[in-house]
Structure formats: structure tokens, C-alpha cells
Amino acid sequence: MAEAQPAVAFQFIVTPEGWNLKVDNHALTAVFMSGLRSWQKSLTWLQRRFITGVYPATWASWILVFFIILALQFADLPPTYHINRFVSSYFSSTLNPPLDFYLASSLCASILWLSFVLISRWGLWCLLQYQGFMFEAPGRGASILTKIWAIVLRLWAGRDFMLYSFQHALPKLPLPSLKDTLRRHLRTMRPLCDDEKFAKWEQLSKEFEKGIGRRLQLYLTIKSWWSSNWVTDWWEDYVYLANRQPLGFSSSFYGLDNLLYPMEGKVKPAARAANIVHAMLQFRRLIEHETLPPLLMRDTRPLCSAQYVRAFNTTRIPQKDKDRLRHINHTTHVAVNCWGKWYKMQCYYMGDLLRPCDIEKQFKRIMEDATSYPVNETEARLPAVTNVNRDQWAETRSNFFASGVNKDSLKAIEDAAFVVVFSSKDFIFKENEVGSADESVQRALHGDGHTYWFDKSINVCFHPNSRMTASVEHSWADAPVSSQVFEYALYHELRSHGYTLDGHTMGDSNLNLPNPLRLNWDFTPPLKTFIDHSYRENTSACKDVDLRLLYFKDFGKGFMKKAKCSPDGFIQLAFQLAYFRDVGQFHLTYEASMTRLYREGRTETVRSCTVESCDFVRAMCENPRTKSKDELKKLLQTSVKTHQELYKDCMSGSGIDRHLFCLYVLARYMKVNCEFLEEVISEKWRLSTSQTAVYQMLQHSVDWRQLHCGGGFNTVDSDGYGISYIIAGEKAMFFHISSKFSSAKTDSVRFRDNIQKALIDMKELFD
């Protein structure tokens, strides 16, 4: 094994004739290069910390200041005169005249440069406080002030920024006033309540504002002063890590391939996996070296980059009551689940990332080995243990994976960059056949309950027909980050890597690589019993998932922009119309918006069911209709505008639900029973929606068929729907619709039809 070479670098042998020392030059070279790479990493890390720490200034600016001071020194002009006297008086006995001259120049340059650094960093912080651009139309619709701000920010920030260059300058998430949050909350409850119930909400709200709410708000204000973000740590701990439900059916989500780009029959699965894995590891290198440029909203305003650090090498460790995230700074291997058999595969050789052709060679070796002996049913079902109650998995992990071969094999999986899965089932998608992908997207979500290692941050699955899907654990980051990973991988797979005519990766592998390591397990009878129980539990839960895919190609973003409507607001309004037609009433609707304009920001909830949207839906559902097409169009545009304002409020820190959530957490800490907060937390989100970001780091000129088709998640409420959607270019959209078969109130096929009909009916208002 390659890992054993350093151990035999020296051989010290004692014999009756004396002692003999043998040295292996190749092993010594490997040891030396390993130490050299370690020092290089340390120095590179220090260099990055320095560059980020002085940004937007640069080390080159110090040299410029030094030469300016040097020129002033020759002229014996201020500000160097007094510094020159100071240096001469203290160092005249130890330094020669030329040295004290240059030392004075260096000191003066350093003082002025550090002052410049502080001023420039403060100036950047001031520029990033501006939020006016959020409430103005981009481009020509922006005000003079916003245009000036954008120009100054671009000039101030320059172009040589790194991934975390702006982190220090990002503003903190503002804490809304209690009065404003309660006012907004009441407005969102108005369309969902009759007069009696709404009067109760008003009474509870007043009592809370005048009572315990003031005290809770005070404590939360102190937290907002003290912490970098007053909501993110609690949101991560109590919404994700403290959640005891199986991950695959509660918080994890899936992502799909570029389904509209032809792959079937043209590319080998091992080659496809090699190119994708190579591109993902390149993306990881950009994160580790901090050379990935931060995302810029409207090409100007940077977003928070804190979530990227845990995209790879991260595992959710099950623990009693609350899990924890474990992140390793760097790892050189991926874990591979090939048709129910587990392997540890190195992706680096002598410190360098393997080429795609080398990675394909290793995947072929794994496939050959996996087919050389029969499947162990217990090993094939092993991943099911990561998709049961978290306390049960924590106890099992402690009892059966704490020592021996199980501990070593589990460590190989948990320390991997991510997990690669080879499935035995094709991913079926037929562009012109509605429902063709339904069974496949269900497997993409739950992997039949025993395919994905749900604890890992990312699982990438490759199918026999060379299609790709992915499963993402949610606690480490939100969907836009993982979406960006796959967007990068899919783009570079075709543009940078490519395939030969016979479907293999480019190039020939000529490295003598060690075989991937087969992982072994010790399945004791109690462990086998638990694995079998987990498998049966998962199989039963999988059968309850009603997940459907809608490829809508009647129109896309192009029409909605032409109609002068926000695409997101237009789609959300279609959901309200479809849902009312589906169940005959309105319910609380969740839409995720991002708060990454602020340091360590994650998400906020947009309550999409509004007074204006309900007015439009009722008017559309009248039979016969009493309003003209122009009146309906006006109601539609008013509703879309209201939604757009709500979305911007949430992005700018004026949301409702994260504020109320943190007040509830404080009440629990204080062991205070608050009827208002209990009612808020117990509200049912019958519609849970989210838009998948696209074109995050690529130009819009890129063919959208080369990008992914979004992904989805399981429904949040047992009697509700979960909807994820992606606007695929100017003329198409994908919708991922989930519900439960066990609910008599929902039907994903019916709701898919209602969404399609709602979109078409709304478009007809503009014809």
C-alpha cells in the first residue's frame, strides 16, 4: 500500500555482527515532499489571511507608499523628517547611515499604509451598508444615487478579491423592532382567518407586545450586538441538528442532471463519474485556495461566502438529542458505494489531483471488483441506518461502530470529500412524456432508503444510462451553494473535460495507481437486526412519497418579463391559484428567500399567501367571472408587486418568522409559556416552496440545457405539498412536487395539473 511507504523509509537491523541501517530513497523522497507540501500549505494559508486581512488594500500598495516616502526622504520633507530623527537617535549606534535611512522610510511607509488599510476597510464597510438598490429596478430603473454607489463600490473593491475578501465588511443582520414584526405577522394572517379568529390573533399579539415580548426582545437585542448573526446559530442547531426525524424524509434534498442534454448511450457511467468528480474536486480547490470569486448581486453587491467552507469533507455526526457537524480541512479520497459494496478511492497522487482518465480507471477497477463476487445483502442495506431516527442511529453508531473494522470503515466514509454512488437503475426522463420521470425523481430523493449515506454533505449518484442525481444534507448550507457546485461541475464537464467518441474521458492513464481499498464490516447479529429493521422502515416510508416532475415549456422567464411581472411573484401567484383549486381554501405558504447580503446569513420566510393574492384567486375562480380581463390583469400585477416587496423585505432583514423563532427559543430558555409564540410555532405550512438558483457564476449566454434541472424535497406537512422550481431559460420551467400518498387531502398528480392550468390561465390574461 502507498500509505505504508513512510513506515519503511528506514530499516534498522541488529545482527550478531553489528547493526545495519538501510535507507529507501524513494520513501525518503515521499516523506520529504509530504513535509514540504505541509509547509507550503501553512505559508499559503498565512498569505491568504494577510491578503484578506488588508483588503481592499494590497501588498503592492505598500511598495508604492515606500517608494513615495523614499523620494520624500531624499528631499528631507515631512512626514519623514521627524521619523528620520527618531530612528537616528535610537539606532545610530547600531545601524550604518544607509540602513537607518531605509528603516525610517520603511517605518513611515508602514504607518501610512496601515492607516490607508483601516480607512479603505472602513470605507468598504460603509458602502456595503447601502440597501437602496434592493428596492429599485436594475439597469436603467436605478436611481442616480444607486448608480453612483455602484460605480464607487466597483472602483473601491477593485477586481483582485478572493472568496472571503468582503466578509469583514458585510453588515450584520438587522434586528427588526417587535412592533413591526407583529404588524407584518397580523397582515399575513388576515386572509387565512375569519373575523373571530383574527380578533384572537390581534388580542394575543397585543398582550405579547406589552408583556413578555419586551423582555424577550431586549435579550435578543443583546444577542444581536454580541454575535455575528443573531439567528443563524440557533436556526442551525434547533431546526436542523436537533431534528430527530430521518434526514431523507425531512431535511435532505436532491438535485437533478442536465436532463435536456443528450447523455444516454453516448457516455460510459465510469467516464461520466470521473469528469463530474474531477470538476467537483476542482471546485473544492477553489474554495480551499479562496480563489472562487464571491457571488455578486447585480454584478455589484457581494454575498456572504461563509457557507462554502463546509461543502466538502463534512459529515453530520449523530448524537443524542442534537447532532454535530464535523468538517475536515482537507482529505484526498472519496467514498464509493458501487451496487451495495463500499470502497475508499484516492483521488490524488503525489499531492496532485488525478486526471479524469485516471479517475475513470479507478472507477472501472471498482466496478470489476464489485461484480466479481455476490452482494452481501446486509452491506447493501447498511446506508439505511443513516435514514432512521437520529437518536437510534446515534446509539447504534456508539455501540457497533466505535472500534475495530467497523470504526475504520465508517471513518473512511465520514472523512471522505463526498460519496459517489453507482446505482443499478436507470434514470428515465422523456421530454415529451408527462410523468416519465416520476419514479426516478422519487429515487433521487430517498435512494430507495438504502443507497445514500445521508450523513454526508453530498452524495452524487450515477445511473447505468449515465444520468446523474445528487442528495444533499441540509444543515451545512442552503440549496444555492450546492446548486453552484453542480452548475460548475456540469459546465466544466462539457466545456473543459469532454469525452471521446466512444464515451470515455479524454487522455490515457499511464500512472501505476494502487487499487481502491475495499471496506470491510463486522455485522454482528444485533447490528444485522438493526440494519434489517432500518431497511424495512425506510422501504415503508419510501412508498408514502408522492413526488412528481413537471417540465413546463409553454413559456418561461421571457414572457413574464415581457408582461412586466417578477417571474418569482408570477409563479408564486400560480401556486396560490392552483392550491385553491386543489383544496378549495387558502393556507399558510412558505417561500425561502436568502439573507446572504448579511454576514453569515442563511434564509428567511416569505409568506406568499397575501390579501392581494387571495383577491386575485377568488376573482379567477368565480363562476361566472364578474371581472373583465383587464381587471383581472390589474389584480395579478398588484399581487405580484406585493409579493416582490415582501421578498425584498425578507432579503433586507425585515422578515417575520426568523424573528419570532428566536423569541420562541429565548422563551424556552427562560421556561416561559407564551400562548402567542406557541400558536405561531404550531402554524401549519401546507405549501412549502423554494426556487433553485441558476446562472450563479456562469454567463447567461451559456446554453441552459447544459445546466441542471433543479431539485426537490419532501413535503413539510403531512397534508401539504412541497414545491421546488427552477426557471430554465427564457421558455421553460421545471417543478418538483411532493406530497404523501397517506394523505386524503393531497395528490401530486392532481396538483401538477392544477399548476399547469393556473400558469396557462394567467398567461391568457395578457393575450
Side-chain angles (χ1 to χ4, degrees), residues 405-472:
V405 65
N406 286 353
K407 179 181 179 181
D408 295 338
S409 295
L410 180 64
K411 179 176 173 59
I413 296 175
E414 293 182 341
D415 288 358
F418 50 90
V419 171
V420 177
V421 178
F422 287 101
S423 172
S424 59
K425 298 180 180 179
D426 286 340
F427 186 97
I428 305 300
F429 172 75
K430 298 178 181 179
E431 184 175 343
N432 297 314
E433 186 177 325
V434 177
S436 62
D438 290 349
E439 184 180 343
S440 295
V441 294
Q442 289 184 33
R443 286 200 304 272
L445 173 66
H446 50 60
D448 289 330
H450 64 282
T451 300
Y452 301 133
W453 198 267
F454 284 100
D455 290 349
K456 285 300 293 180
S457 58
I458 297 176
N459 287 253
V460 188
C461 182
F462 298 93
H463 301 267
N465 62 342
S466 297
R467 282 298 174 195
M468 181 197 80
T469 55
S471 175
V472 181

Side-chain angles (χ1 to χ4, degrees), residues 37 67 96 144 227 261 263 297 322 364 432 454 468 481 509 532 592 625 645 719 762:
R37 285 192 297 270
F67 279 109
N96 293 325
I144 297 296
S227 60
Y261 195 86
M263 284 289 181
M297 186 175 180
K322 189 178 77 171
K364 286 181 179 178
N432 297 314
F454 284 100
M468 181 197 80
V481 177
S509 176
D532 291 340
R625 290 181 182 172
E645 291 171 353
D719 291 323
M762 289 167 61

Side-chain angles (χ1 to χ4, degrees), residues 348-595:
Y348 289 77
Y349 183 74
M350 298 294 289
D352 295 324
L353 176 62
L354 295 177
R355 295 177 300 162
C357 59
D358 298 317
I359 298 176
E360 181 186 3
K361 177 181 178 180
Q362 295 296 78
F363 280 141
K364 286 181 179 178
R365 287 178 173 179
I366 288 176
M367 291 176 173
E368 291 170 359
D369 184 78
T371 55
S372 64
Y373 57 91
V375 175
N376 181 328
E377 189 177 76
T378 303
E379 181 181 10
R381 295 177 175 181
L382 177 60
V385 301
T386 65
N387 198 33
V388 296
N389 179 276
R390 301 301 292 173
D391 287 339
Q392 294 178 11
W393 169 217
E395 183 179 358
T396 301
R397 185 179 184 275
S398 176
N399 292 339
F400 301 107
F401 294 87
S403 61
V405 65
N406 286 353
K407 179 181 179 181
D408 295 338
S409 295
L410 180 64
K411 179 176 173 59
I413 296 175
E414 293 182 341
D415 288 358
F418 50 90
V419 171
V420 177
V421 178
F422 287 101
S423 172
S424 59
K425 298 180 180 179
D426 286 340
F427 186 97
I428 305 300
F429 172 75
K430 298 178 181 179
E431 184 175 343
N432 297 314
E433 186 177 325
V434 177
S436 62
D438 290 349
E439 184 180 343
S440 295
V441 294
Q442 289 184 33
R443 286 200 304 272
L445 173 66
H446 50 60
D448 289 330
H450 64 282
T451 300
Y452 301 133
W453 198 267
F454 284 100
D455 290 349
K456 285 300 293 180
S457 58
I458 297 176
N459 287 253
V460 188
C461 182
F462 298 93
H463 301 267
N465 62 342
S466 297
R467 282 298 174 195
M468 181 197 80
T469 55
S471 175
V472 181
E473 201 280 313
H474 205 335
S475 61
W476 62 272
D478 300 308
V481 177
S482 57
S483 176
Q484 186 178 352
V485 174
F486 301 130
E487 183 178 289
Y488 178 93
L490 291 171
Y491 175 79
H492 286 277
E493 171 200 14
L494 299 174
R495 291 297 184 96
S496 304
H497 296 9
Y499 298 96
T500 61
L501 293 177
D502 57 351
H504 293 283
T505 53
M506 307 293 287
D508 296 318
S509 176
N510 51 19
L511 293 177
N512 185 21
L513 300 170
N515 289 328
L517 178 65
R518 175 82 165 87
L519 300 185
N520 297 309
W521 308 92
D522 179 18
F523 296 117
T524 61
L527 176 57
K528 186 178 184 299
T529 299
F530 180 77
I531 293 173
D532 291 340
H533 170 75
S534 301
Y535 171 77
R536 291 191 298 271
E537 188 178 289
N538 274 271
T539 302
S540 176
C542 289
K543 293 178 181 178
D544 194 29
V545 176
D546 184 9
L547 181 58
R548 311 290 171 172
L549 178 67
L550 170 61
Y551 173 39
F552 183 85
K553 50 187 177 180
D554 289 49
F555 63 88
K557 182 171 62 176
F559 159 73
M560 291 180 276
K561 284 189 172 181
K562 187 177 179 181
K564 298 182 179 180
C565 290
S566 158
D568 183 67
F570 191 95
I571 294 170
Q572 286 291 328
L573 187 56
F575 291 160
Q576 294 301 317
L577 177 57
Y579 187 75
F580 188 81
R581 288 172 171 172
D582 192 79
V583 301
Q585 55 186 318
F586 299 106
H587 274 120
L588 204 58
T589 303
Y590 181 111
E591 182 191 4
S593 74
M594 65 93 173
T595 56

Side-chain angles (χ1 to χ4, degrees), residues 609-659:
C609 184
T610 63
V611 173
E612 291 78 8
S613 68
C614 293
D615 289 342
F616 169 77
V617 169
R618 289 192 185 97
M620 285 289 289
C621 293
E622 284 182 332
N623 189 16
R625 290 181 182 172
T626 60
K627 295 187 182 298
S628 66
K629 183 182 289 189
D630 288 339
E631 289 175 318
L632 290 172
K633 185 164 65 174
K634 186 175 181 180
L635 287 173
L636 185 153
Q637 292 172 330
T638 301
S639 178
V640 169
K641 184 178 179 181
T642 299
H643 177 271
Q644 197 172 11
E645 291 171 353
L646 288 175
Y647 200 100
K648 291 177 179 179
D649 283 342
C650 290
M651 287 183 64
S652 58
S654 298
I656 299 169
D657 289 278
R658 298 301 179 269
H659 188 190

Side-chain angles (χ1 to χ4, degrees), residues 726-746:
I726 185 170
I727 302 173
E730 299 294 314
K731 298 181 180 180
M733 296 177 281
F734 282 90
F735 297 88
H736 306 252
I737 305 154
S738 65
S739 63
K740 292 189 176 183
F741 284 114
S742 57
S743 173
K745 299 179 180 180
T746 57

